[in-house]
């Protein structure tokens, strides 16, 4: 979790403070915030627009705030101790090991590690993991929110239920519906694997259940029960689209309960991307909406590691996405549908849940806002209409699904929000995790990447390596180990404690300028079970 401002504020060098505060901007609408030269544009889900200039104003007492504190005239070094660093890095880590039966692990998944490091306050990323109890398989996903955390929170709670229901055979759906009708206990569908910080909304549980029940009732009506062959790809696509449709419908209908009414509107007007993996034996499906990524770690015969991408970013860097968007709208909108590499010049991901500002007609938006609670009407974000808004919807939650058949050399899968991929190359990510899992990281030669290194610097690198070896292992969680590198890596590819300490010491109002929220799940595969599946087919 972010370090308290009062405790770690002096940890930034004084020379950096003057540079940071000289350009920093305080804004109540982070998603529409004007950016300083120190905020990478890739970190902002929404880019500034002239019409929003009035939304962003500098903090009136900013000068007094900085002048009110006394700083030494010469730079001083203040660093977090290693235990303090570890406390911050490990605050949200979680691990799960698949249980063994009769001394054997019969699952193709050995287990997984996950972790989160916030940059926003509160964090806008979410994560989920669950075992499907009525079907074989495990679900894992990361969700990256924007314009607030409401949508990513709702999707993290609800999407796996929609997927699980979509995968159920007709007979099981009937059993569940009959149990609800007669008031009997329901068959459990999912076994959740949650960190204590992974919040679930009890207030909205009844609303969410009713929408889910309507969905499985429709699946029962559509399926005559003649065939129980489930197409996993189709099930994933249907689940994503149906949940997004329910989020939109709930916001339009509203709720007599004022709290719930405001909640469903916040969910609909904020947005979230999603990257979800379904693992069943050797069958791996990745459903992706947005710009989080899934990366497969493959160990080659010589022991080296290679990265296989199992998702595509849905943004302006994806030519097929650009083409899709242009084909879905009239030719006279070809130059306006994507401007400055953003949807309508505003939104970075081209696919997302929620974000009804890019989906509803203008009339519907106005009608919902006018009839909504006062809190919604006070939110400037809900009032503006995107420029060149002629033929909605411009945004979809439909996922792109990629299938991969697992092989013995496929050792792990990494699901991570874009906060990781903005800081590290995919090959480095896979190598670091692979070396961590196999314990080979201390045996590799030190790479200096073409830099001229003095004997003193090389001695320091070797000393650092020896210290790590003597301390056995600093991290017991692969996701934590990866976050440590993402935040603290230096030009030599090793973790620099000074840099790591500085980055973790940034106050909440400054952390977002340097990095995004980072959420990671590392899924480790059981090569023996995967190999056994292969042998059975030959």
């Amino acid at each position: 979790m972010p370090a308290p401002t009062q405790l770690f504020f002096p940890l930034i060098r004084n020379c950096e403070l003057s540079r940071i505060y000289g350009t920093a901007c305080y804004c109540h609408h982070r998603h529409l915030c004007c950016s300083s030269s120190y905020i990478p544009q890739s970190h902002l889900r929404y880019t500034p627009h002239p019409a929003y200039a009035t939304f962003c104003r500098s903090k009136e007492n900013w000068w007094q705030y900085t002048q009110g504190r006394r700083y030494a005239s010469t730079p001083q070094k203040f660093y977090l101790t290693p235990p303090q660093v570890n406390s911050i890095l490990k605050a949200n880590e979680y691990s799960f090991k698949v249980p063994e039966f009769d001394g054997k692990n019969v699952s193709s998944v050995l287990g997984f590690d996950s972790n989160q490091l916030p940059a926003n306050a509160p964090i806008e990323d979410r994560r989920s993991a669950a075992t499907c109890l009525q079907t074989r398989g495990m679900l894992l996903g990361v969700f990256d929110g924007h314009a607030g955390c409401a949508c990513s929170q709702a999707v993290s709670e609800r999407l796996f239920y929609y997927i699980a229901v979509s995968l159920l055979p007709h007979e099981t759906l009937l059993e569940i519906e009959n149990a609800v009708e007669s008031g009997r206990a329901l068959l459990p569908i999912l076994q959740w694997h949650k960190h204590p910080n992974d919040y679930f909304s009890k207030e909205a549980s009844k609303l969410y259940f009713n929408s889910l029940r309507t969905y499985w009732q429709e699946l029962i009506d559509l399926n005559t029960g003649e065939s129980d062959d489930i197409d996993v790809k189709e099930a994933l696509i249907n689940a994503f689209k149906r949940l997004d449709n329910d989020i939109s419908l709930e916001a339009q209908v509203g709720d007599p309960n004022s709290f719930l009414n405001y909640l469903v509107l916040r969910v609909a007007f904020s947005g979230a991307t999603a990257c979800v993996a379904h693992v069943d034996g050797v069958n791996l499906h990745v459903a992706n909406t947005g710009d989080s990524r899934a990366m497969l770690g493959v160990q080659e015969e010589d022991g080296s590691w290679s990265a296989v991408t199992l998702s595509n970013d849905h943004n302006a860097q994806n030519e097929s996405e650009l083409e899709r968007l242009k084909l879905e709208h009239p030719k006279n909108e070809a130059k306006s549908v994507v401007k400055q590499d953003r949807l309508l010049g505003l939104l970075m991901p081209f696919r997302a849940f929620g974000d009804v500002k890019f989906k509803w007609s203008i009339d519907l938006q106005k009608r919902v806002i006018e009839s909504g609670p006062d809190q919604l009407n006070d939110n400037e974000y809900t009032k503006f209409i995107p420029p060149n808004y002629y033929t909605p919807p411009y945004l979809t939650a439909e996922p792109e699904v990629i299938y991969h058949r697992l092989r013995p050399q496929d050792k792990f899968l990494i699901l991570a929000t874009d906060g990781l991929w903005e800081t590290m190359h995919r090959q480095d990510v896979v190598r670091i995790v692979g070396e961590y899992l196999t314990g080979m990281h201390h045996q590799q030669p030190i790479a200096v990447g073409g830099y001229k290194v003095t004997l003193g610097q090389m001695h320091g690198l070797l000393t650092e390596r020896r210290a790590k070896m003597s301390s056995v292992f600093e991290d017991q969680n692969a996701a934590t180990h990866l976050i440590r590198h993402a935040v603290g890596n230096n030009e030599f590819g090793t973790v620099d404690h000074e840099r790591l300490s500085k980055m973790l010491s940034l106050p909440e109002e400054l952390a977002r300028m340097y990095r995004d929220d980072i959420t990671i799940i590392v899924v480790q595969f059981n090569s023996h079970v995967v190999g056994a599946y292969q042998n059975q087919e030959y």
Side-chain angles (χ1 to χ4, degrees):
M1 57 192 299
T5 302
Q6 295 84 353
L7 180 61
F8 298 130
F9 202 91
L11 299 174
I12 309 172
R13 294 189 182 189
N14 299 307
C15 57
E16 291 180 344
L17 280 170
S18 60
R19 173 173 62 81
I20 294 170
Y21 285 129
T23 57
C25 170
Y26 179 85
C27 180
H28 292 288
H29 307 278
R30 295 181 182 220
H31 49 286
L32 299 176
C33 186
C34 58
S35 60
S36 76
S37 59
Y38 295 98
I39 307 179
Q41 283 294 313
S42 61
H43 282 187
L44 297 174
R45 288 292 181 173
Y46 291 93
T47 194
H49 186 273
Y52 316 141
T54 57
F55 296 173
C56 188
R57 55 187 175 82
S58 59
K59 195 173 183 181
E60 289 84 358
N61 63 342
W62 193 259
W63 185 85
Q64 294 91 331
Y65 178 72
T66 57
Q67 296 299 315
R69 295 176 179 268
R70 290 190 175 90
Y71 298 102
S73 57
T74 57
Q76 298 182 29
K77 294 182 179 180
F78 297 94
Y79 301 123
L80 298 173
T81 64
Q84 288 173 321
V85 167
N86 287 338
S87 178
I88 293 171
L89 289 178
K90 298 182 179 184
N92 297 307
E93 69 178 9
Y94 178 83
S95 296
F96 174 77
K97 182 180 179 182
V98 175
E100 295 181 347
F101 299 94
D102 297 327
K104 295 181 180 179
N105 189 331
V106 296
S107 171
S108 58
V109 175
L110 281 173
F112 69 87
D113 294 334
S114 73
N115 202 352
Q116 295 184 295
L117 183 67
N120 291 293
I123 185 172
E124 295 182 340
D125 280 6
R126 293 293 185 272
R127 59 182 166 180
S128 292
T131 300
C132 298
L133 296 176
Q134 302 304 319
T135 59
R136 296 188 310 171
M138 179 176 284
L139 287 165
L140 307 107
V142 294
F143 311 94
D144 190 349
H146 48 268
C149 60
C151 190
S152 58
Q153 176 62 45
V155 174
S156 71
E157 293 182 41
R158 306 177 67 181
L159 181 58
F160 285 9
Y161 281 113
Y162 280 72
I163 295 173
V165 164
S166 301
L167 292 171
L168 290 176
H170 181 75
E171 183 179 340
T172 306
L173 289 173
L174 282 174
E175 289 178 12
I176 293 174
E177 176 58 23
N178 291 334
V180 175
E181 281 287 338
S182 60
R184 290 184 284 111
L186 287 176
L187 291 170
I189 298 176
L190 296 173
Q191 177 191 353
W192 289 94
H193 311 300
K194 298 187 296 182
H195 186 279
N197 292 348
D198 294 340
Y199 167 76
F200 267 45
S201 172
K202 295 180 180 178
E203 298 85 357
S205 58
K206 185 176 180 181
L207 171 69
Y208 292 169
F209 176 81
N210 289 337
S211 294
L212 181 66
R213 184 185 180 189
T214 301
Y215 178 43
W216 81 53
Q217 286 174 337
E218 293 180 13
L219 290 176
I220 290 172
D221 293 339
L222 290 172
N223 189 341
T224 60
E226 294 177 0
S227 173
D228 277 337
D229 291 337
I230 304 294
D231 186 322
V232 177
K233 178 178 179 178
E234 184 180 351
L236 290 166
I237 292 173
N238 290 341
F240 272 63
K241 291 169 65 176
R242 178 54 182 248
L243 174 56
D244 191 55
N245 182 73
D246 283 353
I247 287 172
S248 176
L249 188 61
E250 289 160 2
Q252 294 174 49
V253 173
D255 194 280
N257 182 312
S258 59
F259 173 81
L260 283 180
N261 193 31
Y262 184 46
L263 174 65
V264 297
L265 289 168
R266 282 179 54 219
V267 170
F269 278 93
S270 58
T273 66
C275 187
V276 172
H278 178 262
V279 189
D280 180 5
V282 293
N283 298 310
L284 170 61
H285 289 82
V286 174
N288 184 53
T289 290
D291 50 11
S292 294
R293 291 183 191 169
M295 203 69 60
L296 189 68
V298 181
Q299 189 169 33
E300 306 297 347
E301 290 184 1
D302 62 359
S304 63
W305 295 94
S306 61
V308 176
T309 305
L310 293 182
S311 64
N312 295 310
D313 292 351
H314 299 133
N315 54 29
Q317 280 63 56
N318 186 333
E319 290 293 333
S320 62
E321 275 295 285
L322 282 170
E323 189 63 24
R324 177 188 66 81
L325 267 173
K326 291 178 181 179
L327 289 174
E328 290 177 355
H329 299 277
K331 290 185 178 180
N332 60 357
E333 292 188 59
K335 293 183 179 180
S336 63
V337 68
V338 176
K339 295 183 68 175
Q340 298 178 332
D341 287 345
R342 293 171 183 253
L343 183 65
L344 298 178
L346 297 174
L347 190 64
M348 181 176 288
F350 291 173
R351 305 192 193 196
F353 285 91
D355 280 320
V356 294
K357 297 295 294 183
F358 298 87
K359 296 174 181 176
W360 288 355
S361 68
I362 294 176
D363 288 341
L364 178 57
Q365 291 185 41
K366 289 180 177 179
R367 188 162 65 248
V368 170
I369 292 169
E370 288 171 0
S371 62
D374 293 337
Q375 302 102 304
L376 185 72
N377 213 28
D378 292 340
N379 187 338
E380 296 289 351
Y381 168 59
T382 63
K383 293 181 180 179
F384 84 89
I385 301 297
N388 303 303
Y389 197 78
Y390 306 119
T391 57
Y394 289 90
L395 193 66
T396 179
E398 180 173 341
E400 183 177 8
V401 180
I402 292 179
Y403 171 76
H404 177 81
R405 184 175 179 80
L406 290 174
R407 307 159 298 173
Q409 61 265 40
D410 300 330
K411 301 301 182 181
F412 57 86
L413 175 72
I414 301 169
L415 302 173
T417 54
D418 64 342
L420 173 67
W421 311 111
E422 288 169 352
T423 61
M424 297 185 72
H425 189 273
R426 63 175 190 163
Q427 189 60 46
D428 292 330
V429 169
V430 165
R431 176 185 56 79
I432 287 169
V433 173
E435 292 174 358
Y436 168 86
L437 292 176
T438 57
M440 295 292 291
H441 55 292
H442 295 311
Q443 301 175 26
Q444 300 298 321
I446 291 179
V448 296
Y451 291 91
K452 293 181 178 179
V453 182
T454 65
L455 277 175
Q457 288 173 323
M458 182 58 74
H459 178 265
L461 292 171
L462 291 170
T463 302
E464 180 183 350
R465 169 178 285 189
R466 187 164 58 249
K468 287 185 177 179
M469 290 176 68
S470 63
S471 64
V472 191
F473 227 148
E474 198 166 13
D475 297 317
Q476 302 301 317
N477 181 297
T480 304
H481 188 69
L482 193 48
I483 290 177
R484 189 184 299 273
H485 278 267
V487 179
N489 258 11
N490 59 20
E491 63 269 27
F492 304 117
T494 61
V495 176
D496 183 335
H497 177 74
E498 180 179 333
R499 173 181 171 81
L500 185 59
S501 175
K502 283 183 185 177
M503 293 297 289
L504 296 180
S505 303
L506 289 171
E508 292 175 354
E509 61 267 28
L510 298 182
R512 189 64 178 89
M513 295 182 178
Y514 289 86
R515 61 176 177 82
D516 197 358
D517 297 329
I518 300 175
T519 298
I520 301 170
I521 299 177
V522 178
V523 188
Q524 192 172 359
F525 297 123
N526 189 331
S527 299
H528 298 294
V529 172
V530 171
Y533 272 104
Q534 269 196 339
N535 295 332
Q536 289 173 6
E537 297 193 352
Y538 292 111

